[in-house]
Amino acid sequence: MLIHLIAAARPNFMKIAPLYHALKKEEWATPVIVHTGQHYDLNMSDAFFNDLGLPEPDLHLGVGSGTHAEQTGQVMITYEKALMQSRPDLVVVVGDVNSTMAATLAAVKLGIEVAHLEAGLRCFDRTMPEEINRLVTDALADILWTPSPDADENLMREGISSDKIHRVGNIMIDSLEMLREKIEKQRAYKEFGLNPDDYGLVTLHRPSNVDNEDVLKSICEILARIAQKIPLVFPVHPRTRKNLEKNGLMSLMNETPGMYNVEPLSYTRFMNLVFNCCFAITDSGGIQEETTYLEIPCLTMRPNTERPITIHQGTNQLCKLENLENRIENVLSGEVGQTGAIEFWDGKTASRVVKSIRNQLLG
Ligand code: UD1
């Protein structure tokens, strides 16, 4: 059975890796990695493939950057051609990036079955491009693999038949567990002269935080103040770097004592920084989940989250910019949030997905 795994942007790579490795072991499955090229830099893509033990993609669509319509359209056009040349039995899309939705559209229109891994997440905020991608992908996919009960409920509320929905858990925890030893060996914090539990980790790249000059300037000023109290390591996403440079803010960030601004890091080096930080400030989806699993306080700089379980059963809290300094004080004085194991966030999601494919498609 020919199975396409769509990899496009950085947060996708750690979601397809465990599944690729699990499918490779199955006699009946031929997994093929399709890289759309949405992320193309060495440190946004290749470094992840290396760390995660993924081979060179079998198919590279070379789409690159562009507006939303350009990126979505390019993936549809190029992927449709690839599908017509060699028709897979199943297309697996992950997460919520533009390529996830685009590959789904191209495949379903050719009558090819699509499965969505990380289905059902909703933040109910349609100004977020990812929410549109999630809604469209879930409305069209034939198999919906969800990470948590809230995701099942969202899908049912949208009228999706329950026999399409299969709760398999959180695949990112599989990558984390698969590479735990390598991650623990890294000691990435040492490169900045830092010690475990003695720094905060920052990642910010959402358009709502980094595209507006005034918002970005306020964020930089507040981070600079926090860095006077506790060092901050900030791997800077290309979108964020572009905007910092355009608005003349990169020098403020570089001149601030205690602020370590670096290029995006490979998976294992970055995760080593997560393992050892005393808090994370982020607007990423994945980091809300990884910190919950690791029981590390996480301040999410967004008005909402599609991952509410990380708040109710985890260490995550939504935070407004004006409250950030106070919240950091609380965290430093020991406030962690509720923690407890979440069902199926256990490193065994890939094997549940393989079982689901076998049951659904091989009968
Ligand atoms: C995308 C996803 C987002 C995900 C994020 C993780 C969508 C709508 N957004 O946002 O959900 O959280 O990836 O990183 O799909 N760039 C580079 N090098 C690269 C990739 C991008 O320089 O390898 C630049 C692009 O030129 C562009 C900017 O970064 O200017 C943004 O890239 P893009 O893929 O459009 O969106 P992200 O903000 O990365």
Side-chain angles (χ1 to χ4, degrees), residues 92-106:
V92 176
V93 294
V94 300
D96 55 15
V97 301
N98 286 339
S99 303
T100 306
M101 174 182 71
T104 301
L105 276 164

Side-chain angles (χ1 to χ4, degrees), residues 215-336:
V215 175
L216 188 59
K217 188 160 181 266
S218 304
I219 291 181
C220 290
E221 287 166 356
I222 291 175
L223 290 179
R225 285 207 294 273
I226 296 171
Q228 318 270 320
K229 294 185 195 137
I230 177 150
L232 294 178
V233 182
F234 184 10
V236 185
H237 187 281
R239 172 190 284 278
T240 311
R241 184 171 293 277
K242 251 186 223 172
N243 290 328
L244 287 170
E245 281 165 0
K246 187 174 89 192
N247 297 310
L249 292 164
M250 203 66 235
S251 49
L252 163 69
M253 297 301 274
N254 286 337
E255 283 155 18
T256 302
M259 202 64 234
Y260 299 88
N261 312 297
V262 291
E263 290 295 318
L265 303 168
S266 72
Y267 177 74
T268 47
R269 286 180 70 212
F270 181 75
M271 286 310 298
N272 180 264
L273 289 178
V274 178
F275 273 39
N276 292 290
C277 70
C278 55
F279 61 82
I281 299 172
T282 193
D283 56 14
S284 141
I287 295 166
Q288 297 173 50
E289 299 180 334
E290 287 154 344
T291 48
T292 274
Y293 183 68
L294 296 166
E295 302 187 3
I296 293 166
C298 179
L299 295 154
T300 296
M301 307 307 294
R302 285 179 45 191
N304 48 53
T305 178
E306 59 291 331
R307 293 159 161 94
I309 200 163
T310 60
I311 296 179
H312 305 130
Q313 262 178 267
T315 53
N316 186 24
Q317 29 179 327
L318 300 178
C319 183
K320 287 192 179 131
L321 193 51
E322 57 267 32
N323 299 333
L324 183 59
E325 283 169 285
N326 270 341
R327 295 285 186 90
I328 297 288
E329 292 288 342
N330 294 344
V331 159
L332 291 177
S333 61
E335 183 191 285
V336 175

Side-chain angles (χ1 to χ4, degrees), residues 346-363:
D346 57 2
K348 294 178 188 143
T349 291
S351 64
R352 283 187 286 269
V353 171
V354 169
K355 207 164 142 199
S356 163
I357 300 178
R358 211 174 35 217
N359 291 345
Q360 304 274 313
L361 280 95
L362 291 182

Side-chain angles (χ1 to χ4, degrees), residues 120-142:
L121 298 185
R122 297 289 181 271
C123 66
F124 306 101
D125 174 1
R126 291 196 183 189
T127 64
M128 260 191 101
E130 293 81 0
E131 183 76 351
I132 308 294
N133 296 339
R134 292 179 203 119
L135 283 161
V136 173
T137 304
D138 287 341
L140 298 177
D142 303 280

Side-chain angles (χ1 to χ4, degrees), residues 11 38-41 44 65 97-98 130 205 237-239 242:
Q38 179 170 343
H39 283 178
Y40 41 84
D41 282 350
M44 295 294 283
S65 304
V97 301
N98 286 339
E130 293 81 0
H205 73 279
H237 187 281
R239 172 190 284 278
K242 251 186 223 172

